[in-house]
Amino acid sequence: MSERSLLDGSWLSGAPGEWPGLRNKVTYPSRAQVLELSVQLSRPVPGHIVEFGVWKGYSTRVIRDELWRARLWERRQRRKRIYACDSFEGLPEGYENLPAGTFATPVPRLNGVRVVKGFFAESLTPALAAEVGLVSLAHLDADLESATSCALDWLTPLLADGALLLFDEFYGEDPAECRAFVDWSARSGVRTTLLALFGREPSGKGGMTDRRALFQVIGRRQLRKAPPLPPVRLRRRLASRW
């Protein structure tokens, strides 16, 4: 990596055709690891967890399992619910190298999760917003700029102070989610800060690596960092005596 690329910030994004040379040579964090971290960081934030783009429910199950572990030790986490929003009819239009209809699937069985079926323009209603009330974590995996913009506009009045926004394909061959986020930020006036940027394999079957991005809403309320859950504290205490 050259000094110039470090200075101009080009190293933050992937490069066309780089993936074949990186495959099996880098250890990008998995989606599950990023989701688990996001759930943990959202513990001090009031509100529920909403996912936009579910497919077969793999990421939803990771969120559910991590929230379940947090509930064992923090009673306030038991008030949080998970909403999983998807049409389950696949992409309504092409995205990168993926044709329309990709990701079509039967509605998965997700115990303990409120599944919201339908395209966002029809399913993200005022009635659903009233039911959700507040959002502590939103996982945005809608791929398309139009769908991501629709989800962000619906989320705007529901975002709690300190709410987390995790984008699954924020930057890549077609940075659609990035464009939607930039436009929404200017349109809504919601202030956010970047917490982390994670490299990942190409989402659209191309040759350029993608980036997951985790943002936090800057509100008026002060937040405390979530303390380690008891098993971690116990391990650290025992390790200090070795």
Side-chain angles (χ1 to χ4, degrees):
M1 184 179 297
S2 68
E3 181 180 355
R4 181 174 181 178
S5 66
L6 288 172
L7 292 174
D8 65 18
S10 60
W11 57 279
L12 289 170
S13 63
E18 68 179 346
W19 177 238
L22 296 177
R23 189 192 302 270
N24 300 324
K25 297 178 182 178
V26 294
T27 54
Y28 288 135
S30 67
R31 176 186 281 126
Q33 289 171 322
V34 174
L35 285 167
E36 289 167 355
L37 172 63
S38 301
V39 172
Q40 287 298 324
L41 290 175
S42 71
R43 280 167 44 210
V45 183
H48 304 298
I49 300 174
V50 186
E51 184 172 45
F52 302 94
V54 178
W55 195 32
K56 296 184 179 181
Y58 298 134
S59 57
T60 316
R61 294 184 182 96
V62 173
I63 293 171
R64 182 188 61 188
D65 293 349
E66 188 63 22
L67 181 59
W68 178 82
R69 284 189 284 271
R71 285 170 173 168
L72 290 177
W73 305 102
E74 282 188 352
R75 295 180 63 87
R76 63 180 175 177
Q77 302 304 317
R78 300 172 192 177
R79 295 194 293 267
K80 294 188 176 184
R81 300 191 301 273
I82 301 171
Y83 293 79
C85 308
D86 200 307
S87 69
F88 301 101
E89 296 180 23
L91 293 171
E93 60 187 77
Y95 170 71
E96 293 188 353
N97 302 292
L98 304 176
T102 302
F103 303 126
T105 183
V107 178
R109 181 177 179 180
L110 297 167
N111 293 329
V113 174
R114 167 84 149 86
V115 176
V116 181
K117 185 180 184 303
F119 290 106
F120 297 160
E122 290 81 34
S123 64
L124 300 180
T125 63
L128 179 64
E131 178 184 333
V132 174
L134 279 179
V135 172
S136 60
L137 169 62
H139 178 219
L140 296 117
D141 188 12
D143 298 327
L144 302 177
E145 182 177 357
S146 57
T148 304
S149 295
C150 183
L152 286 169
D153 287 341
W154 181 82
L155 275 172
T156 303
L158 309 181
L159 293 172
D161 290 350
L164 298 173
L165 300 172
L166 174 62
F167 294 86
D168 194 63
E169 296 103 7
F170 188 73
Y171 204 87
E173 187 176 334
D174 178 10
E177 292 181 356
C178 179
R179 292 195 302 271
F181 173 77
V182 170
D183 290 346
W184 169 78
S185 297
R187 186 171 64 250
S188 68
V190 176
R191 295 177 61 214
T192 59
T193 186
L194 178 67
L195 295 187
L197 200 63
F198 305 91
R200 60 158 293 177
E201 69 286 349
S203 61
K205 308 302 182 183
M208 181 176 178
T209 59
D210 285 355
R211 300 292 182 266
R212 292 186 173 98
L214 181 62
F215 291 88
Q216 187 163 36
V217 173
I218 304 171
R220 297 180 179 179
R221 188 173 70 94
Q222 292 186 346
L223 296 174
R224 294 183 178 179
K225 291 183 180 180
L229 294 175
V232 176
R233 291 203 299 266
L234 178 59
R235 287 199 298 270
R236 289 176 179 170
R237 187 179 303 171
L238 292 173
S240 68
R241 299 176 181 177
W242 292 348

